[in-house]
């Protein structure tokens, strides 16, 4: 990728700081170096992970494009340096590329050249999420992004702090939509690695040909199109956690490389015979029966043993009793805020329909269901007609999930277009995806078939429209 042109002042400062890029990449917290006009000169690997932006794409731009903080317009720590003789610190929130709000602590200090003149500023950006006390959260029915007061979830909450304090591999199992991603995040942010990066790789979302390079990196010229060195996700996760979701979809030849890494903590980029040692904890998750896959020769038994050091199984939503009501209220508040609505509650009939549903798609299905209802409701209460049609269908029809034929997909698309007749295409497409997820009960593969999309394409569009799953 072509690098953006740099102003002469930045080129001059980079000459003075020639050793700095190598040094700051070793620092486990985010580091940003800006020139006197607050334009980005350098950012380290930790800040790339935290913000989701690459150094090359932001070099020479104002620093507020990178940090997107509530302090950027007022109270910027760098600007406060004009009033103070020493470094200054402040706590704030930043918005990363995935539109996630992250609490951080900024510390800013001036950079003085050999001639005694100001040549720029350096900012450290420390992720503050790990300062939360997990025990206090669990007592309130919350652990990270997990919510629940049922005995099943309280058992999970009790063991999470213990699992977090070890450095062993973890295998998280459970049905689709039970919250495995949130558990992995909670383990990371309650661990000693919380200051390090949390890197997620969906082993089922990337083509097999790209997955090896994505995980282990490659050297320039290793294959056609490899025009520069790429570190890979293992190296990006150095001093932190690598979360491998859908581990059952990992191809057999990459299972061998993963096993080798778990044994010696060394990665070998494509095109290189030189190994690189990285300090990474691996957490894996799956909804598949890995023991059965081992018997069928689809998963290596030795890799299962290495991943299965600590195992945590998440209960299905139908096993969690009153957690359904608790989660429904939480999602209602979330989507009221997002869509600027003032819906007070579900009426009694609508609430009964939800409480009596089996939820094969688990928490993800419930979240999608509430988002759908909030979108359709124009009053102050959600009624049965605002809920997906399958909730009011006979139970036998509800439990059936036939594969959609092309004609069904076409009919579905036409119906969805009618919903968005008076809105723009982006909103129409968003509602189409939401409707498909509802019809598929949270199953992304089936939703993709309804829409006539590839699974990875659907995943990208869900990220684009902030339809979390």
């Amino acid at each position: 990728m072509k690098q953006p042109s740099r102003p002469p002042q930045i080129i001059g400062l980079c000459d003075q700081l020639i050793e700095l890029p190598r040094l700051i990449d070793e620092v486990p917290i985010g580091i940003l170096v800006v020139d006197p006009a607050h334009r980005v000169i350098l950012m380290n690997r930790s800040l790339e992970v935290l913000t989701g932006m690459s150094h090359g794409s932001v070099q020479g731009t104002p620093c507020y494009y990178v940090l997107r903080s509530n302090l950027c317009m007022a109270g910027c720590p760098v600007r406060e340096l004009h009033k103070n003789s020493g470094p200054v610190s402040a706590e704030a929130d930043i918005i990363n590329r995935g539109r996630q709000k992250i609490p951080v602590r900024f510390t800013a200090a001036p950079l003085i050249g050999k001639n005694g003149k100001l040549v720029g500023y350096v900012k450290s950006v420390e992720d503050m999420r790990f300062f939360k006390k997990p025990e206090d959260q669990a007592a309130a029915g919350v652990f990270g992004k997990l919510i629940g007061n049922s005995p099943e979830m309280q058992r999970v909450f009790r063991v999470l702090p213990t699992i977090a304090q070890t450095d062993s591999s973890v295998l998280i199992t459970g049905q689709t939509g039970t919250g495995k991603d949130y558990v992995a995040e909670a383990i990371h942010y309650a661990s000693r690695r919380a200051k390090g990066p949390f890197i997620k790789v969906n082993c089922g979302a990337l083509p097999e040909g790209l997955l090896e390079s994505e995980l282990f990196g490659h050297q320039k010229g290793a294959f056609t199109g490899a025009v520069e060195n790429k570190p890979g996700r293992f190296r990006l996760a150095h001093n932190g956690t690598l979360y491998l979701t859908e581990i059952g979809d990992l191809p057999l030849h990459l299972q061998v490389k993963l096993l080798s890494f778990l044994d010696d903590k060394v990665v070998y980029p494509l095109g290189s015979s030189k190994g690189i040692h990285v300090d990474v904890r691996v957490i894996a998750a799956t909804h598949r029966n890995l023991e059965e896959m081992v018997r069928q020769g689809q998963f290596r038994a030795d890799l299962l043993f290495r991943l299965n050091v600590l195992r945590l199984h998440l209960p299905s939503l139908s096993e969690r009793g009153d957690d359904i009501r608790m989660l429904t209220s939480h999602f209602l508040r979330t989507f009221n805020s997002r869509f600027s609505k003032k819906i007070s509650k579900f009426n009694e009939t609508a609430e009964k329909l939800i409480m009596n549903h089996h939820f094969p798609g688990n928490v993800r299905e419930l979240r999608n269901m509430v988002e759908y209802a909030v979108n359709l409701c124009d009053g102050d209460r959600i009624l049965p007609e605002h809920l997906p049609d399958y909730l009011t269908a006979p139970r036998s029809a509800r439990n059936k999930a036939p594969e959609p034929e092309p004609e069904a997909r076409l009919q579905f698309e036409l119906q969805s277009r009618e919903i968005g007749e008076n809105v723009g295409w982006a909103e129409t497409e968003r509602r189409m995806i939401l409707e498909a997820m509802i019809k598929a009960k949270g199953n992304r593969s089936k939703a993709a078939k309804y829409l006539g999309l590839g699974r990875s394409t659907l995943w990208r569009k869900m990220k684009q429209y902030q339809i979390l799953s």
Side-chain angles (χ1 to χ4, degrees):
M1 183 175 69
K2 185 179 179 181
Q3 294 290 332
S5 59
R6 297 184 292 173
Q9 301 96 318
I10 293 181
I11 296 173
L13 183 50
C14 282
D15 290 340
Q16 296 183 56
L17 304 175
I18 193 167
E19 289 297 313
L20 198 56
R22 180 181 60 80
L23 294 174
I24 65 174
D25 267 345
E26 301 301 319
V27 179
I29 63 174
I31 299 293
L32 184 69
V33 180
V34 298
D35 71 2
H38 308 287
R39 293 170 300 195
V40 175
I41 300 165
L42 297 171
M43 63 187 290
N44 71 343
R45 191 170 293 157
S46 293
L47 191 57
E48 286 184 324
V49 171
L50 190 64
T51 63
M53 300 182 187
S54 67
H55 169 245
S57 67
V58 299
Q59 192 176 49
T61 63
C63 62
Y64 56 77
Y65 286 154
V66 179
L67 300 174
R68 298 193 285 186
S69 166
N70 54 335
L71 285 185
C72 287
M73 297 299 106
C76 171
V78 171
R79 299 186 190 281
E80 292 295 314
L81 287 172
H82 297 298
K83 307 172 187 176
N84 297 276
S85 56
V88 296
S89 293
E91 293 189 6
D93 294 322
I94 66 171
I95 304 295
N96 68 9
R97 192 173 182 179
R99 299 181 183 178
Q100 181 183 17
K101 185 164 73 171
I102 300 173
V104 299
R105 177 187 290 127
F106 290 117
T107 301
L111 285 172
I112 307 299
K114 292 180 180 179
N115 58 5
K117 293 184 178 180
L118 178 74
V119 295
Y121 303 93
V122 61
K123 287 184 181 182
S124 68
V125 186
E126 187 175 4
D127 190 337
M128 297 294 288
R129 287 175 291 188
F130 76 97
F131 282 109
K132 296 177 182 177
K133 295 182 179 179
E135 295 83 359
D136 296 342
Q137 294 183 68
V142 177
F143 195 109
K145 297 178 182 177
L146 297 164
I147 296 173
N149 270 325
S150 63
E152 290 78 8
M153 288 307 294
Q154 286 299 312
R155 279 195 289 271
V156 171
F157 290 167
R158 280 197 295 272
V159 301
L160 278 177
T162 303
I163 290 175
Q165 295 312 307
T166 75
D167 220 20
S168 302
S169 300
V170 182
L171 180 61
I172 306 169
T173 59
Q175 296 175 7
T176 297
T178 48
K180 297 186 288 293
D181 290 11
Y182 291 160
V183 169
E185 277 193 52
I187 291 171
H188 171 76
Y189 289 113
S191 75
R192 67 174 182 82
R193 295 179 176 271
K195 289 187 177 182
F198 176 79
I199 303 293
K200 175 183 173 181
V201 179
N202 188 325
C203 299
L206 293 169
E208 184 175 335
L210 295 178
L211 188 56
E212 183 171 6
S213 169
E214 194 67 30
L215 285 172
F216 299 97
H218 63 249
Q219 294 293 104
K220 181 179 179 180
F223 52 84
T224 302
V227 296
E228 59 183 2
N229 294 340
K230 181 175 181 176
R233 300 294 181 92
F234 275 99
R235 289 177 65 188
L236 289 177
H238 183 57
N239 291 325
T241 301
L242 182 68
Y243 172 48
L244 300 173
T245 182
E246 307 287 1
I247 190 68
D249 292 336
L250 191 68
L252 282 167
H253 75 281
L254 293 184
Q255 292 180 26
V256 176
K257 291 196 73 167
L258 175 58
L259 179 64
S260 174
F261 170 79
L262 291 171
D263 285 337
D264 56 27
K265 301 294 184 182
V266 174
V267 295
Y268 292 88
L270 283 169
S272 173
S273 58
K274 182 180 178 181
I276 301 167
H277 183 271
V278 291
D279 179 14
V280 171
R281 183 186 196 177
V282 173
I283 300 177
T286 184
H287 68 280
R288 296 172 179 260
N289 185 331
L290 293 185
E291 286 79 7
E292 181 61 30
M293 291 182 69
V294 168
R295 286 191 287 272
Q296 295 176 1
Q298 298 173 339
F299 201 85
R300 292 182 62 97
D302 46 4
L303 178 58
L304 177 58
F305 295 146
R306 292 292 283 111
L307 292 173
N308 201 26
V309 178
L310 295 170
R311 189 162 187 159
L312 187 60
H313 182 76
L314 295 187
S316 64
L317 186 55
S318 60
E319 299 175 281
R320 293 174 54 180
D322 250 12
D323 280 359
I324 296 175
R325 187 174 281 108
M326 184 179 184
L327 286 162
T328 301
S329 298
H330 168 72
F331 292 142
L332 180 59
R333 290 192 298 271
T334 298
F335 294 117
N336 264 336
S337 175
R338 179 176 296 180
F339 303 130
S340 300
K341 294 200 174 184
K342 296 181 180 179
I343 301 170
S344 59
K345 61 181 179 179
F346 290 72
N347 83 344
E348 186 177 349
T349 305
E351 185 176 1
K352 282 183 179 178
L353 285 169
I354 291 174
M355 293 301 295
N356 292 332
H357 183 55
H358 182 61
F359 284 104
N362 294 291
V363 180
R364 181 184 296 141
E365 182 184 358
L366 176 60
R367 181 190 176 96
N368 292 339
M369 186 184 293
V370 176
E371 183 174 2
Y372 177 85
V374 172
N375 264 296
L376 293 188
C377 180
D378 292 324
D380 64 347
R381 293 188 182 188
I382 291 175
L383 307 175
E385 54 261 38
H386 299 135
L387 298 174
D389 291 342
Y390 70 82
L391 276 185
T392 56
R395 182 173 295 274
S396 58
R398 263 189 263 167
N399 293 333
K400 262 179 121 179
E403 292 294 324
E405 297 299 325
E407 293 82 2
R409 288 202 300 267
L410 178 60
Q411 182 184 12
F412 161 71
E413 183 170 337
L414 291 172
Q415 289 172 346
S416 298
R417 284 177 185 269
E418 288 175 9
I419 292 174
E421 188 175 331
N422 297 318
V423 297
W425 170 246
E427 178 61 20
T428 302
E429 187 174 45
R430 183 182 183 281
R431 293 189 186 187
M432 287 169 64
I433 293 171
L434 183 59
E435 176 92 2
M437 289 295 290
I438 292 292
K439 284 181 176 290
K441 299 180 173 61
N443 186 304
R444 195 183 297 159
S445 296
K446 289 181 180 177
K449 289 179 181 177
Y450 274 116
L451 292 162
L453 299 174
R455 191 172 185 273
S456 58
T457 301
L458 176 61
W459 180 75
R460 287 194 298 272
K461 286 182 178 291
M462 290 176 70
K463 286 192 70 176
Q464 176 187 343
Y465 295 125
Q466 292 185 277
I467 303 173
L468 306 179
S469 66

